[in-house]
Amino acid sequence: DKGHVIFAGELSDLDPEFDTYTSIRFDIRRVDELGNITFYKSEEFNGLTYTNNSVSFNYSISIDARLSSFNFQMFGVIGNVDKLLYEVDDLVSGDVYVIQGQSNAESLVQPEETESVIPYQSNFIRVFGSGTKRSDKFFEMSDNHRKWYYGRGDNTFAGGVGGIGQWGLIFARNLVDQDTIPVAIFNGATGGKEIEYFQKNYDNSVLNNEDALNSYERLLWRLDQAKLTDKVKAVIWSQGEADASLKTSTQEYISMFQALLNDWNTDFAGLLSNFYIFQTKSSCGSANSMLVKEAQRRLADGDVVKIIQTTGLNYVNDCHFSLNDGYEKFASRIYAHISADFYGGSDNESIYTPT
């Protein structure tokens, strides 16, 4: 599999070191997981056409999707003379996943817990921007939201960058270690919110201090900025506790989730059939979780939508899970499905939840 690195811009005489280059060459080196650096390839582009002492360029260069990073040097070439114009290090190519839902999709370290997922961090797990729930932060921190970061699992999303949650990080690390593929995770979760909140057409103006972008728009904005809206491999959903408390009916929940499916399929082009739901566990002081659980059971057809059980997982505070007996198992259960569906992992009946 390959990824594509896009170099686009303009060279002009506004740069005091500008020259009328006859070609542009890229020298690329590969850094393996042990840090060994080897020459990967060169690509040279000719036929530069200048207008008023400037030339625009837009080049796509492929790299392998593997546990390696790539360093690029861009040269302007005139005859036998090369001039280094730009360089960038630590680029990787891999697969893209979205996590969405409530606080168990955020899966932050709980106050009662001391276990950290820092040992699961890897340079091959990447995050674009932040999953902050405050839309105004996108404008206060616009530069930070247009950058890539190494994934972190323990940190809060409120303005922090690189956060993907505890089980999100462990899941990604399983893909890195077991399937030797770099991973980008886009976690857009917001704790304590009903399914209506995550709809594309949700009116954010009803909320205090959240008046610019709604949850759906924030997630889509990040994917669009990273040029990855058509590269999402799967959406993983963990949500329902708020709807249990609100007594959302089974049919209402089904209708709103189907609306989300339609919008995801439109905006995440090519996704079509890769949706996974963690079935909501009775919790958070609500006795009405069966309405949501039944909706999730009906939605899971085993083809477009698959359901993942949360039975046997231990709460630490009646709403959220511990790491060792909770979020680690979230990660292992979703990994089993993803590995079987995309990477040739074991496709046995034990990973499927009866519907």
Side-chain angles (χ1 to χ4, degrees):
D1 290 341
K2 301 283 186 180
H4 296 273
V5 182
I6 307 299
F7 287 87
E10 181 180 78
L11 301 174
S12 79
D13 57 6
L14 295 177
D15 181 349
E17 297 185 8
F18 172 76
D19 264 317
T20 51
Y21 307 110
T22 55
S23 64
I24 294 177
R25 190 185 76 245
F26 294 88
D27 289 350
I28 307 154
R29 288 170 175 77
R30 183 173 74 87
V31 184
D32 68 20
E33 54 191 311
L34 299 178
N36 300 312
I37 302 175
T38 56
F39 181 77
Y40 181 62
K41 65 178 178 179
S42 284
E43 292 197 16
E44 190 161 354
F45 299 89
N46 298 297
L48 299 178
T49 302
Y50 288 84
T51 303
N52 297 325
N53 287 329
S54 68
V55 60
S56 297
F57 61 90
N58 191 323
Y59 304 128
S60 175
I61 301 173
S62 66
I63 57 174
D64 294 330
R66 59 191 295 183
L67 292 187
S68 296
S69 63
F70 295 86
N71 302 337
F72 282 71
Q73 291 181 311
M74 173 181 169
F75 294 91
V77 180
I78 304 177
N80 295 322
V81 178
D82 301 337
K83 181 185 287 186
L84 180 63
L85 302 176
Y86 182 76
E87 58 185 326
V88 60
D89 298 337
D90 200 23
L91 300 181
V92 299
S93 173
D95 289 336
V96 180
Y97 292 91
V98 165
I99 297 173
Q100 185 61 297
Q102 288 187 228
S103 53
N104 282 318
E106 284 184 300
S107 62
L108 306 178
V109 62
Q110 297 302 307
E112 301 86 351
E113 286 279 285
T114 59
E115 296 292 328
S116 171
V117 292
I118 288 176
Y120 291 95
Q121 291 178 182
S122 166
N123 290 355
F124 295 109
I125 301 171
R126 305 294 175 95
V127 178
F128 188 82
S130 164
T132 175
K133 64 193 71 175
R134 286 185 56 189
S135 55
D136 56 318
K137 288 286 186 180
F138 276 85
F139 304 101
E140 294 175 13
M141 303 171 59
S142 58
D143 287 343
N144 288 341
H145 284 296
R146 291 183 174 90
K147 294 178 181 178
W148 283 98
Y149 299 88
Y150 298 128
R152 298 184 293 167
D154 295 334
N155 65 305
T156 177
F157 285 171
V161 292
I164 53 177
Q166 290 196 312
W167 67 257
L169 183 67
I170 300 172
F171 159 66
R173 185 58 185 262
N174 284 339
L175 290 174
V176 169
D177 290 346
Q178 302 302 318
D179 300 293
T180 63
I181 187 77
V183 183
I185 302 288
F186 288 75
N187 191 325
T190 303
K193 299 298 185 182
E194 68 280 10
I195 191 172
E196 182 183 12
Y197 174 85
F198 298 98
Q199 300 296 309
K200 184 175 183 177
N201 62 357
Y202 182 74
D203 182 3
N204 227 31
S205 65
V206 300
L207 300 176
N208 294 330
N209 81 4
E210 294 193 64
D211 57 359
L213 301 175
N214 66 30
S215 171
Y216 190 103
E217 291 167 335
R218 293 196 298 272
L219 178 60
L220 185 60
W221 183 91
R222 292 169 63 201
L223 286 161
D224 181 65
Q225 290 291 305
K227 310 300 182 188
L228 292 173
T229 53
D230 62 340
K231 299 295 189 294
V232 177
K233 207 166 187 74
V235 175
I236 307 166
W237 176 259
S238 178
Q239 190 278 337
E241 296 89 347
D243 288 282
S245 298
L246 293 171
K247 300 183 180 179
T248 302
S249 73
T250 296
Q251 190 53 52
E252 286 176 320
Y253 194 93
I254 289 173
S255 296
M256 284 189 278
F257 192 83
Q258 287 174 334
L260 270 176
L261 288 181
N262 292 336
D263 288 330
W264 286 334
N265 276 322
T266 298
D267 292 324
F268 306 159
L271 190 58
L272 297 179
S273 62
N274 305 317
F275 305 97
Y276 301 84
I277 297 176
F278 278 104
Q279 191 166 38
T280 301
K281 187 178 173 75
S282 300
S283 65
C284 298
S286 173
N288 303 299
S289 61
M290 287 306 299
L291 297 175
V292 171
K293 293 170 76 169
E294 175 61 13
Q296 293 166 340
R297 187 191 70 81
R298 293 186 195 178
L299 284 163
D301 59 7
D303 184 18
V304 174
V305 179
K306 295 180 180 178
I307 195 166
I308 302 168
Q309 62 178 316
T310 54
T311 55
L313 306 187
N314 291 332
Y315 283 125
V316 70
N317 55 20
D318 192 46
C319 282
H320 308 100
F321 295 91
S322 64
L323 177 60
N324 293 336
D325 292 322
Y327 291 139
E328 282 185 344
K329 292 180 180 177
F330 264 68
S332 64
R333 290 178 186 184
I334 185 58
Y335 171 73
H337 280 272
I338 295 290
S339 180
D341 289 345
F342 299 118
Y343 303 103
S346 176
D347 188 5
N348 60 67
E349 292 184 4
S350 66
I351 72 171
Y352 296 110
T353 301
T355 58

